[in-house]
Amino acid sequence: MYAGIFLVFTWPLAGNFSTAFPAVPGHDSYQFYWNVWHFREAVTTGHNPFFTDWLFYPVGSGLIMHAYIPIIGLLAVLVGNEMLAINLGLLASYALSGTGAYYLARRWVKNPVLGLLAGFIFAYSPYKLQRLPEHFNLVLTATVPFYVLAFLRAFEFQEGRFLPVVRSWAAVLACGLLGIITLFSDYYVLFGLIYFSLLYASWYWLRIGRLNWRNWRNWRTWAVLAGILLVSHIGIRLLRLAGVPDTGKWWGGDVVAFLLPPATSRWLDFAWAERLYNSSLFNMPGSIENTLFIGYALPLLALGLWLWRRRPRSLRSQDAQGRPLIWVLVVFLLFTVPTLRVYGHERLNLPTSLLHFIPFFNNIRCPTRWIMLVGLLLPIISFSALEAAWQGLKPASRYLLSAGLFAVVALEFWPKPYYQATAASVPAFYRQLAARPGTTLVPIPLGVTDGNRQAGHLPTEQLFYQAFHRKKLPGGYLSRVKPELFLALRQQPVLRALLQVQTHPDSLGTSPTPEQMRAFLQQYKPAAFVIDSSYQHHPVRPYLRQLLQPFGYTEQLVEQRVLFVPSPR
């Protein structure tokens, strides 16, 4: 079923499974294609797949801290086709994500239609459907529900004990294997497993289970909660004033974002939502990282059931292993808004902000991505409570209501058609460059980019084109780039001069000397310099012509791009 939904939502991709892949032009999709191509290229030629000099030539860069998706790279080695590997990997991830969430939900949800809906919500949430054509790594969530199932089978936690009792060593081994697979998929998803495990255990460590509704009627409970929030707000404020780096504040979500359907929604892309989504309400207007939407029906159902105090206890709340899930869900919700922002105004620094001050952990810089785990836990908790609330209804009525809810959620989640990138979309002259002598291709614009910094600009299409022209690039774009590589771009006289003209044409710096130009051509051995169509009338064109003509390069206009290539000898 879940595989069929993938084929429907991505149609007509199914007819082009080996010749196209979902993409967003100009975005990160092409970087992930490069990941799969590079992994296969390195493995099949006997090189280390976790190091590259195809980018940042001649120094190169390690790929350990890069969002590399080697799990799909391995699949590409097996099938011998990057596009087919990407599509098969995405299909398997969505299908297995839904299947695993279904089996996890069925521990506490007896209605099979609600169980299927729980799997659908986790597999096809707007968060994942929006990232399907762009961030392939973030949709590789197939291991998550199976890990939770194995974790619950593996351990038994008790209040007052730090270490759990091992119930099944086979389940412990399954947790380890699923963790390794996740490590080769995406580090956000991996940290999701780690955080789930720690939060689940903290239910027992902090004795959260001893709190009940009566405690919340006691003024002391509210006083303690207010004290915790006050201390965290002031403490985090002082850390920021002291200049301690905090990436989570910039990337954190806004409460309004829970109500804003993404622009990729087929039926809910309202004009008012689009205006808000692209407004200064967010630190990055129009960014995919602003998405916290999980539909309207599910949150309204959860809110209504929470307010309905007379309903019987759900199967989940009666199960000792199911009770901690509500705590884990609440904390993941708080993770998405570490600084509580409401309509663009920061109201409160929540305790979860502390994670973004801890070195290494603050590499998890986009807290809105934790809506992924909300999509797993909220349906399970809500549907189990719904079953407790409708016990007086006839079975036929329950199935009818479940089917109706499924239909509403499916309409809320249904995406717009996805753009497909194909080999045919690669300009023909890039293929022809593969046959030209030379080691590198120097594109204009050029630059070095990672998730935190940018010097110049390298269009991500250049990463896609590289698989066809097979020339190395002096710049690059990776998730994490060492500071030395940014420095190297500015220290190389020719690249520094081109970058200066590209970014500040009115304030030209020192031009490279003929000796520096000759040394550059000998070291980089460029097969061509390519100026993009958007820079065809930019001052960088005559500047580059002036640099290259003394060395026998000729200028050509091909497919709206300017090429400088060595004259044949």
Side-chain angles (χ1 to χ4, degrees):
M1 170 184 169
Y2 297 114
I5 293 173
F6 179 87
L7 298 179
V8 171
F9 277 4
T10 60
W11 184 261
L13 182 63
N16 309 297
F17 235 47
S18 61
T19 58
F21 64 97
V24 178
H27 287 232
D28 289 349
S29 326
Y30 300 116
Q31 183 189 61
F32 288 100
Y33 177 89
W34 182 91
N35 291 345
V36 178
W37 168 79
H38 179 269
F39 189 95
R40 179 179 172 230
E41 173 72 21
V43 170
T44 55
T45 57
H47 292 85
N48 178 7
F50 293 95
F51 180 86
T52 186
D53 67 349
W54 286 91
L55 304 179
F56 310 108
Y57 183 85
V59 178
S61 174
L63 299 172
I64 296 297
M65 294 301 294
H66 177 51
Y68 194 30
I69 55 172
I71 194 74
I72 297 186
L74 287 169
L75 185 58
V77 173
L78 294 175
V79 302
N81 182 317
E82 289 83 10
M83 296 184 189
L84 178 60
I86 288 170
N87 293 325
L88 289 176
L90 294 175
L91 170 63
S93 181
Y94 276 86
L96 290 172
S97 294
T99 303
Y102 167 80
Y103 283 113
L104 179 62
R106 291 284 280 165
R107 285 192 55 144
W108 303 286
V109 178
K110 299 308 175 186
N111 185 301
V113 179
L114 289 180
L116 289 170
L117 178 54
F120 172 79
I121 291 171
F122 175 63
Y124 293 98
S125 67
Y127 162 85
K128 290 184 62 183
L129 288 173
Q130 190 178 16
R131 282 165 173 76
L132 168 59
E134 187 161 357
H135 291 150
F136 299 157
N137 58 324
L138 295 176
V139 303
L140 300 181
T141 58
T143 57
V144 175
F146 291 104
Y147 174 88
V148 175
L149 280 167
F151 183 84
L152 296 178
R153 294 192 187 107
F155 303 111
E156 179 181 342
F157 291 86
Q158 298 174 0
E159 288 188 0
R161 292 187 58 176
F162 182 77
L163 294 177
V165 175
V166 175
R167 299 173 59 194
S168 167
W169 285 106
V172 172
L173 177 61
C175 288
L177 291 175
L178 289 166
I180 292 171
I181 294 172
T182 310
L183 174 65
F184 286 97
S185 302
D186 179 64
Y187 64 89
Y188 268 91
V189 183
L190 177 64
F191 269 81
L193 303 185
I194 294 171
Y195 287 164
F196 173 87
S197 305
L198 293 174
L199 290 172
Y200 189 93
S202 69
W203 167 276
Y204 298 92
W205 298 339
L206 302 177
R207 303 176 187 271
I208 303 296
R210 295 193 178 186
L211 298 175
N212 55 43
W213 179 245
R214 292 180 180 178
N215 293 120
W216 293 108
R217 294 179 180 178
N218 189 318
W219 68 270
R220 293 184 181 86
T221 303
W222 288 101
V224 170
L225 178 61
I228 292 172
L229 293 176
L230 180 62
V231 169
S232 71
H233 178 75
I234 295 175
I236 291 166
R237 174 67 175 164
L238 291 174
L239 286 172
R240 287 174 177 152
L241 289 174
V244 180
D246 170 23
T247 55
K249 179 182 179 181
W250 174 262
W251 294 95
D254 191 299
V255 172
V256 175
F258 287 101
L259 304 176
L260 291 181
T264 52
S265 173
R266 174 172 287 192
W267 308 116
L268 301 183
D269 184 21
F270 307 121
W272 63 265
E274 194 167 326
R275 285 195 300 270
L276 282 178
Y277 188 70
N278 292 286
S279 72
S280 58
L281 172 69
F282 300 102
N283 289 330
M284 292 190 66
S287 170
I288 194 173
E289 303 299 348
N290 297 330
T291 299
L292 287 174
F293 186 70
I294 198 167
Y296 297 117
L298 179 61
L300 286 173
L301 174 65
L303 180 61
L305 291 168
W306 181 70
L307 294 173
W308 187 0
R309 291 297 170 187
R310 293 186 178 182
R311 61 173 172 79
R313 293 181 66 194
S314 66
L315 286 179
R316 180 202 59 81
S317 64
Q318 296 176 48
D319 180 10
Q321 285 199 312
R323 283 195 287 272
L325 296 185
I326 186 69
W327 157 254
V328 178
L329 169 64
V330 169
V331 177
F332 270 115
L333 277 169
L334 296 179
F335 277 167
T336 64
V337 283
T339 294
L340 188 63
R341 300 178 77 242
V342 182
Y343 207 76
H345 300 285
E346 296 180 357
R347 302 299 185 187
L348 185 67
N349 296 315
L350 298 174
T352 51
S353 290
L354 288 171
L355 274 175
H356 299 280
F357 292 95
I358 302 174
F360 182 74
F361 287 91
N362 61 11
N363 276 291
I364 308 296
R365 61 188 176 87
C366 299
T368 53
R369 293 177 180 179
W370 295 126
I371 198 68
M372 166 187 64
L373 272 298
V374 174
L376 176 65
L377 299 174
L378 184 60
I380 294 172
I381 294 168
S382 301
F383 296 162
S384 181
L386 177 61
E387 285 192 324
W390 71 11
Q391 288 181 8
L393 295 179
K394 295 180 180 180
S397 299
R398 299 175 191 174
Y399 279 103
L400 185 61
L401 286 173
S402 301
L405 181 60
F406 203 135
V408 170
V409 173
L411 288 174
E412 289 181 323
F413 287 11
W414 203 289
K416 293 178 181 177
Y418 294 114
Y419 172 82
Q420 297 178 36
T422 66
S425 64
V426 178
F429 76 87
Y430 279 113
R431 297 173 180 275
Q432 297 164 6
L433 285 175
R436 293 191 65 90
T439 303
T440 67
L441 179 144
V442 182
I444 304 293
L446 61 85
V448 175
T449 305
D450 71 1
N452 298 314
R453 297 177 59 191
Q454 179 171 327
H457 172 61
L458 180 73
T460 55
E461 282 85 352
Q462 288 295 340
L463 303 179
F464 181 41
Y465 299 158
Q466 187 178 56
F468 298 87
H469 64 65
R470 301 185 62 80
K471 304 299 181 184
K472 299 181 179 183
L473 301 176
Y477 175 25
L478 297 174
S479 300
R480 296 293 181 271
V481 175
K482 290 183 178 180
E484 303 88 81
L485 294 177
F486 284 93
L487 185 61
L489 179 67
R490 299 187 181 279
Q491 288 181 335
Q492 212 295 321
V494 177
L495 297 179
R496 180 182 65 237
L498 292 175
L499 182 64
Q500 178 69 21
V501 178
Q502 171 188 313
T503 55
H504 300 92
D506 297 328
S507 57
L508 301 182
T510 304
S511 293
T513 65
E515 291 75 17
Q516 290 172 332
M517 194 69 199
R518 186 175 294 105
F520 174 83
L521 296 176
Q522 289 175 350
Q523 181 181 21
Y524 285 80
K525 298 180 176 61
F529 293 76
V530 180
I531 300 179
D532 189 73
S533 58
S534 60
Y535 280 72
Q536 187 181 145
H537 303 292
H538 190 278
V540 73
R541 180 179 179 181
Y543 183 81
L544 188 57
R545 181 191 305 129
Q546 179 184 351
L547 289 179
L548 293 175
Q549 276 184 343
F551 296 92
Y553 278 74
T554 59
E555 182 178 351
Q556 304 173 11
L557 184 63
V558 182
E559 299 181 41
Q560 300 303 309
R561 290 170 174 83
V562 180
L563 270 69
F564 289 92
V565 295
S567 300
R569 296 180 180 179

